[in-house]
Amino acid sequence: MTSKLPLMLLLSAALAGAATAAPARPVSLTLDATKPGPVINKHIYGHFSEHLGRCIYEGIWVGENSPIPNTKGYRNDVLAALRTLKVPQLRWPGGCFADEYHWKDGIGPREKRPSMINTHWGGVVENNHFGTHEFLDFCELLGIEPYVCLNVGSGSVQEAMEWVEYMTSDASSPMANLRRAHGRDKPWNVRYLAIGNESWGCGGNMTPAYYADNYKRYNTFVKNYRRDLRIQRIACGPNEGNYEWTEVLMKNVGNRMHGLALHYYTLPTGNWRGSKGHATQFGEDMWFATLQRTLHMEELVTRHSAIMDKYDPQKRIGLVVDEWGTWYDVEAGTNPGFLYQQSTLRDALVAALNLHIFHAHADRVTMANIAQIINVLQSVILTDKEKMIVTPTYHVFEMFNVHQDATALPLEVQSPDYEFGGKKIPAVSVSASRDKAGKIHLSFANCDPNTAATVTCTLTGVTPKAVRGRVLTAPAINTHNTFAAPTAIQPVPFTGATLAVGSLQVDLPAKSVVILALE
Ligand code: AHR
């Protein structure tokens, strides 16, 4: 089967079920560098941090007096790992937590801050030691753009309005002066604001029409306090395939928002009430199901975008995939409310597929945030007291960050499917872009755990002299890093790519993610 898809190539052709060490299957690919597509917004590579489990406390923040090496209370190992990753933005304080967060409880001397119960996540007591200053200073330290979610569910318009003034005003105004009294003279550059989180669920169980009215009410009072800072307002969007929500929001809110937030998680079993599936102990059935459910993102983005196109043909409003990633059963012996899970090679494939889908829709998808950055769901970092490891998902984000703000390039493909249990998905996904320096990068994901692929790529409009690359793969589908074996899976130099005149051949191992640079 031949298909033309900008950037993402979902490869399909009938083939029998995979067998161990099956011969590599041919894939043909055409890259046309003379026809640039949209820019892949770097904000597609964003992250999410919530007061949930050990994401903030222990993950990011240990406090100045901790024996864990830190800079102003932020752990040094995490700071270093995140610097390498090039995190464009970080969403905070939730999630469901955002709609019960009262920001004034999180400023001033820490020992005087009131506590609260984190009702959503384990019912633990939140001491508010990590608040507005701690979050925004953390972002500033790393050059990350903060993305703050306002409390619409249980807060007030006044509270939201005052928070925005506190964070962004440089006037001699009451909230800016309160900020100064707490030791921060200059305002922070908070460019992204969400007006509530999951207002259809934990954020207030609202109907789309009721939320649309609420959005307009809050939005009226979210002011731009500075000429040099135009706040990007992101509305609560649909849960998965709730197309009615998108329709109502686009119709009733329209140009009053800059982004509409979609949430979609990958559960191997697809079951929210029973077992979601194990993070590390699974067979090929759950490997296949996880990747198949991940690819559902393509349909969600396509259909929500089509509704947005009706009301916003100029694509002024971004589709923001605000929360995405795998959601498994928690690790044995951990608090079920803390959502702590391990991450394997399977998660690396999930990350690559989702990022490729976002690239392919770069004309509409302007931001995405994987859930969540540390110790929660599909994290890029896991910690255990003073120890820290990075996950296979971290490696994909690091390998693929060359696509950030690069121009998407169109691809054409002919290739096989990966079949399992009578079902099939495209075996290989590919994306290509040209960065600002003119260098072309190609990223590949081979979903088939048993069969390698030999990709023959015809190159138009580019005559590279050399190709360099890295590959992420492992002996088993569930290979993962642990605190005892922190580098069980990590990228290594890739030697499977060869150039000829006008073409490139890539020997893609089974169950692998590859990044190539044409030089
Ligand atoms: O990421 C965990 C939770 O998932 C978030 O708090 C919520 O927005 C979503 O349901």
Side-chain angles (χ1 to χ4, degrees):
M1 186 182 97
T2 303
S3 63
K4 274 191 182 179
L5 291 174
L7 297 180
M8 182 189 178
L9 303 177
L10 294 178
L11 310 175
S12 62
L15 257 183
T20 307
R25 290 180 299 194
V27 175
S28 75
L29 187 66
T30 303
L31 166 73
D32 189 351
T34 64
K35 296 190 181 112
V39 168
I40 296 167
N41 198 316
K42 70 175 178 186
H43 293 291
I44 281 173
Y45 282 77
H47 293 260
F48 170 32
S49 60
E50 180 166 10
H51 289 244
L52 195 178
R54 295 180 298 114
C55 181
I56 301 291
Y57 301 108
E58 189 188 313
I60 293 175
W61 176 258
V62 287
E64 290 97 333
N65 300 325
S66 170
I68 297 174
N70 69 84
T71 302
K72 296 182 180 161
Y74 311 112
R75 27 188 327 158
N76 288 344
D77 49 4
V78 165
L79 288 174
L82 292 181
R83 273 199 186 96
T84 308
L85 211 51
K86 299 202 175 91
V87 176
Q89 82 280 350
L90 185 60
R91 180 170 178 253
W92 174 84
C96 297
F97 180 80
D99 280 295
E100 59 183 29
Y101 181 63
H102 299 285
W103 70 272
K104 282 187 183 163
D105 294 345
I107 57 171
R110 286 190 200 108
E111 63 288 355
K112 290 199 180 145
R113 296 184 191 175
S115 298
M116 63 181 281
I117 295 179
N118 191 334
T119 64
H120 290 290
W121 307 119
V124 295
V125 173
E126 159 68 51
N127 64 15
N128 276 308
H129 281 193
F130 190 92
T132 302
H133 289 249
E134 288 79 10
F135 173 67
L136 295 177
D137 288 351
F138 176 69
C139 290
E140 204 168 67
L141 195 60
L142 289 173
I144 294 174
E145 284 210 60
Y147 170 22
V148 173
C149 184
L150 301 177
N151 179 347
V152 170
S154 71
S156 68
V157 174
Q158 182 183 357
E159 187 182 6
M161 183 178 181
E162 288 182 343
W163 198 12
V164 178
E165 182 190 329
Y166 187 92
M167 293 187 286
T168 65
S169 167
D170 60 358
S172 182
S173 68
M175 288 302 117
N177 287 337
L178 181 61
R179 181 189 72 233
R180 290 185 186 105
H182 291 316
R184 170 81 186 196
D185 180 27
K186 272 185 12 193
W188 293 278
N189 288 327
V190 181
R191 199 154 64 99
Y192 295 104
L193 281 180
I195 314 281
N197 170 75
E198 296 195 351
S199 305
W200 38 260
C202 66
N205 286 302
M206 304 178 198
T207 64
Y210 182 75
Y211 171 73
D213 284 346
N214 258 287
Y215 175 93
K216 287 186 273 191
R217 187 161 152 256
Y218 271 76
N219 186 49
T220 305
F221 299 98
V222 168
K223 306 287 183 189
N224 286 314
Y225 287 95
R226 291 177 9 231
R227 286 226 178 100
D228 65 332
L229 185 72
R230 312 313 289 174
I231 291 171
Q232 304 291 296
R233 297 123 198 274
I234 295 162
C236 165
N239 182 26
E240 304 186 358
N242 184 348
Y243 300 107
E244 187 208 348
W245 186 280
T246 299
E247 187 85 43
V248 173
L249 266 283
M250 289 303 295
K251 194 169 171 191
N252 295 356
V253 173
N255 280 342
R256 293 185 185 90
M257 61 180 156
H258 298 97
L260 182 68
L262 162 69
H263 288 188
Y264 174 60
Y265 285 97
T266 302
L267 279 62
T269 61
N271 184 358
W272 279 104
R273 295 187 190 278
S275 169
K276 298 176 181 68
H278 202 281
T280 56
Q281 290 158 38
F282 58 87
E284 192 175 343
D285 55 342
M286 285 295 114
W287 164 278
F288 180 88
T290 304
L291 300 187
Q292 188 182 40
R293 289 181 190 282
T294 297
L295 290 171
H296 181 54
M297 182 69 89
E298 170 68 31
E299 179 184 327
L300 292 173
V301 169
T302 302
R303 292 185 61 186
H304 286 295
S305 296
I307 297 168
M308 295 176 81
D309 287 350
K310 249 191 342 184
Y311 296 93
D312 175 35
Q314 291 173 337
K315 300 185 192 292
R316 209 195 58 84
I317 303 167
L319 182 59
V320 172
V321 189
D322 228 10
E323 291 185 26
W324 66 269
T326 52
W327 192 317
Y328 306 126
D329 297 338
V330 299
E331 290 300 310
T334 65
N335 187 328
F338 282 12
L339 310 185
Y340 177 74
Q341 66 188 40
Q342 252 291 1
S343 185
T344 67
L345 175 61
R346 174 176 61 168
D347 296 85
L349 270 294
V350 168
L353 292 178
N354 273 317
L355 291 169
H356 282 179
I357 291 168
F358 305 152
H359 293 179
H361 292 271
D363 59 338
R364 180 62 82 180
V365 177
T366 53
M367 182 192 272
N369 303 298
I370 188 171
Q372 298 191 6
I373 193 162
I374 305 176
N375 291 331
V376 173
L377 300 175
Q378 194 180 345
S379 304
V380 290
I381 291 174
L382 301 176
T383 65
D384 180 12
K385 300 181 192 73
E386 76 289 352
K387 295 190 196 127
M388 186 207 84
I389 55 173
V390 299
T391 65
T393 301
Y394 175 96
H395 291 306
V396 172
F397 269 75
E398 185 274 321
M399 290 163 75
F400 282 22
N401 68 20
V402 289
H403 288 304
Q404 290 187 12
D405 280 344
T407 301
L409 297 174
L411 300 162
E412 191 177 332
V413 69
Q414 188 169 45
S415 100
D417 282 338
Y418 159 38
E419 294 193 2
F420 182 85
K423 295 181 181 156
K424 58 187 178 185
I425 59 172
V428 178
S429 161
V430 190
S431 189
S433 70
R434 177 166 35 217
D435 69 14
K436 287 185 180 136
K439 193 185 279 187
I440 290 176
H441 293 99
L442 285 139
S443 47
F444 301 82
N446 185 359
C447 297
D448 193 319
N450 308 304
T451 312
T454 300
V455 185
T456 306
C457 181
T458 306
L459 304 171
T460 305
V462 54
T463 47
K465 295 188 177 52
V467 56
R468 264 185 324 111
R470 285 185 295 157
V471 58
L472 185 71
T473 187
I477 53 178
N478 65 345
T479 303
H480 55 282
N481 293 330
T482 64
F483 295 99
T487 55
I489 170 167
Q490 60 181 348
V492 294
F494 181 61
T495 52
T498 37
L499 280 171
V501 180
S503 76
L504 166 72
Q505 182 174 310
V506 186
D507 294 322
L508 209 55
K511 53 176 170 11
S512 69
V513 177
V514 166
I515 183 78
L516 294 181
L518 306 185
E519 297 175 341

